[in-house]
Coordinates of all heavy atoms in Angstrom, one line a residue:
N74 N -3.4 -112.7 -99.8 CA -2.1 -112.2 -100.2 C -2.0 -111.9 -101.7 O -2.4 -112.7 -102.6 CB -1.0 -113.2 -99.9 CG 0.4 -112.6 -100.0 OD1 0.7 -111.7 -100.7 ND2 1.3 -113.2 -99.2
S75 N -1.6 -110.6 -102.0 CA -1.3 -110.3 -103.4 C -0.1 -109.3 -103.2 O 0.6 -109.3 -102.2 CB -2.5 -109.6 -104.1 OG -2.1 -109.3 -105.5
G76 N 0.1 -108.4 -104.2 CA 1.1 -107.5 -104.0 C 1.2 -106.5 -105.2 O 0.7 -106.9 -106.3
E90 N 8.1 -104.8 -103.9 CA 6.7 -105.1 -103.6 C 6.1 -104.3 -102.4 O 6.7 -104.3 -101.3 CB 6.6 -106.6 -103.2 CG 5.1 -107.0 -103.0 CD 4.9 -108.4 -102.6 OE1 5.9 -109.2 -102.4 OE2 3.7 -108.8 -102.4
Q92 N 3.2 -104.8 -100.0 CA 2.3 -105.9 -99.7 C 0.8 -105.6 -99.7 O 0.4 -104.5 -99.3 CB 2.7 -106.5 -98.4 CG 1.9 -107.7 -97.9 CD 2.1 -108.9 -98.8 OE1 1.8 -108.9 -100.0 NE2 2.6 -110.0 -98.2
Q189 N 0.5 -109.3 -108.1 CA 0.9 -110.6 -107.8 C -0.2 -111.6 -107.7 O -1.2 -111.3 -107.0 CB 1.6 -110.6 -106.4 CG 2.2 -111.9 -105.9 CD 2.9 -111.7 -104.6 OE1 2.2 -111.2 -103.7 NE2 4.1 -112.2 -104.4
Ligands
MG1 MG1 2.4 -110.4 -101.6

Side-chain angles (χ1 to χ4, degrees):
N74 196 330
S75 182
E90 184 182 6
Q92 179 64 301
Q189 187 183 47

